[in-house]
Amino acid sequence: MRGVVFDGKQARVVDDLEIRDPGPGEVLVAIAAAGLCHSDLSVIDGTIPFPSPVVLGHEGAGVVEAVGPGVAHVVPGDHVALSTLANCGTCADCDRGRPTMCRKAIGMPGRPYARGGEPLYQFASNSAFAERTIVRAVQAVKIPDDIPMTSAALIGCGVLTGVGAVLNRARVDRGDSVLVIGTGGIGLNVLQGARIAGATTIVAVDANPAKEAVARQFGATHFIDASAVTDTSAAVREVLATGADHAFECVGSVQLIRQAIDLLDRHGQAVLLGVPGFKEEASFLVSSLYLDKTVMGCRYGSSRPQRDIALYAELYRQGLLLLDELVTEVYPVEDFAKAVDDARHGRVARGVLRF
């Protein structure tokens, strides 16, 4: 079986993976397509520490091949989008409708794979960069068969995170103003989340002027090329004189986190979605928060995947949520190295691996 394995030093495509059968409450999925997210790159470059060897990938869609005992909501042949959230469903946080806070879903990677007799870890309870994966039943969300797999694959991470941050965490309302710093895969989904929520002024900031057209397609009413202005904050203020109701930092830069906070209006919210190094620290003026401003973390779009993936699939079918437009290029899994290079150099909104 083919898959992408990171051994602690390099990631490469192998063809001799083995996977066990699904156990109770588990689903075996044949992966059809998987998006390449910067979180995968962050494992490779060490920004996100993860034990190795590990089968990478966490944004995928496929077809159910088999289910373990106790699984009833999907059957073999169903099309599913996969979430990374292997929440238990029974703890206090799950019971409150906050599965992203489930402690049993974080930091306990399984090892369903083997290669040459050696067990391999599963990344983000998902490992979508393999021809087959095993997930908990709660991670497999049935989707309509008419959604292309290359588009459906993106729902389980980029869309859940970006759109979810707007609708679930920030709760952007009609008429609000939104600032989005960084228009990569997550930023584009924040833009369309803001558009769906009814925000009227949506300002996108990026240092790559080539991203303006797609940013406007996804919902930006204004675009600021950070490479062409001497003072990005002043350029934002020309559009939002008193600041933004909501500012989303989607890059992972501590300097841009400070900028997002500084550009808030009274009662504004800064939502941090980018991932700096795990030991990096950000600073801000404490006095700047006394006008009811808030700095918010956001894990996985504060989502409830069984609800949200189904919702986003339906919004796509109604033409309200853009998925096809996120897919810049589709690569055979053997071209993983090229997909990584394109992602690192900002040539794609989202590259998708096809099996």
Side-chain angles (χ1 to χ4, degrees):
M1 181 177 70
R2 293 173 299 165
V4 179
V5 174
F6 176 62
D7 63 7
K9 296 181 180 179
Q10 65 175 345
R12 60 193 181 96
V13 180
V14 303
D15 61 6
D16 56 353
L17 285 178
E18 299 175 355
I19 192 168
R20 62 172 174 79
D21 293 331
E26 293 181 333
V27 179
L28 175 66
V29 178
I31 297 294
L36 177 58
C37 173
H38 275 276
S39 293
D40 300 300
L41 304 183
S42 294
V43 173
I44 296 171
D45 66 23
T47 302
I48 296 178
F50 205 88
S52 61
V54 56
V55 180
L56 294 176
H58 64 285
E59 187 180 71
V63 180
V64 175
E65 278 201 351
V67 299
V71 178
H73 75 291
V74 292
V75 298
D78 282 346
H79 288 205
V80 292
L82 303 181
S83 85
T84 70
L85 200 60
N87 58 293
C88 71
T90 59
C91 68
D93 284 308
C94 286
D95 191 53
R96 293 188 184 107
R98 301 188 307 203
T100 57
M101 296 296 104
C102 175
R103 287 173 171 79
K104 293 185 179 180
I106 305 172
M108 290 180 283
R111 293 197 284 183
Y113 294 97
R115 184 171 180 242
E118 178 187 15
L120 280 73
Y121 286 100
Q122 185 176 39
F123 180 53
S125 302
N126 191 306
S127 288
F129 292 170
E131 289 186 87
R132 290 173 182 81
T133 191
I134 286 177
V135 296
R136 291 188 185 180
V138 71
Q139 295 176 256
V141 184
K142 186 176 179 179
I143 58 173
D145 292 356
D146 59 0
I147 300 181
M149 287 292 189
T150 50
S151 298
L154 305 184
I155 301 177
C157 179
V159 176
L160 274 183
T161 299
V163 178
V166 174
L167 302 183
N168 300 329
R169 187 67 169 127
R171 298 184 182 276
V172 173
D173 202 356
R174 291 166 295 179
D176 284 355
S177 60
V178 172
L179 170 66
V180 181
I181 301 175
T183 59
I186 299 299
L188 290 177
N189 280 297
V190 172
L191 288 172
Q192 69 171 333
R195 169 178 52 77
I196 291 168
T200 50
T201 306
I202 305 172
V203 181
V205 178
D206 202 287
N208 182 354
K211 292 185 176 182
E212 178 173 1
V214 70
R216 290 185 180 276
Q217 180 183 22
F218 275 73
T221 59
H222 300 75
F223 183 89
I224 295 171
D225 175 8
S227 70
V229 297
T230 56
D231 188 339
T232 304
S233 294
V236 173
R237 292 282 184 186
E238 289 182 11
V239 182
L240 300 171
T242 60
D245 295 316
H246 311 273
F248 295 83
E249 200 283 340
C250 305
V251 178
S253 160
V254 294
Q255 290 80 17
L256 295 178
I257 288 172
R258 170 63 182 267
Q259 186 177 75
I261 296 169
D262 288 346
L263 285 170
L264 291 177
D265 197 355
R266 298 182 180 192
H267 208 272
Q269 300 178 137
V271 183
L272 312 186
L273 295 176
V275 182
F278 270 45
K279 294 186 178 181
E280 290 193 60
E281 298 181 357
S283 65
F284 57 89
L285 293 173
V286 177
S287 59
S288 70
L289 300 187
Y290 290 149
L291 291 173
D292 284 359
K293 299 179 184 180
T294 304
V295 181
M296 308 172 73
C298 183
R299 172 172 164 76
Y300 203 42
S302 302
S303 60
R304 286 182 274 175
Q306 286 288 336
R307 177 200 67 172
D308 290 350
I309 289 177
L311 169 63
Y312 300 156
E314 183 56 32
L315 291 177
Y316 165 80
R317 297 177 83 199
Q318 294 179 12
L320 298 174
L321 183 81
L322 304 182
L323 292 180
D324 304 340
E325 296 82 358
L326 283 168
V327 182
T328 310
E329 189 164 348
V330 178
Y331 309 82
V333 68
E334 289 79 11
D335 286 348
F336 175 73
K338 182 179 186 303
V340 168
D341 188 66
D342 286 347
R344 282 182 167 153
H345 288 89
R347 302 185 190 109
V348 293
R350 221 24 156 224
V352 176
L353 300 180
R354 190 72 190 253
F355 289 88

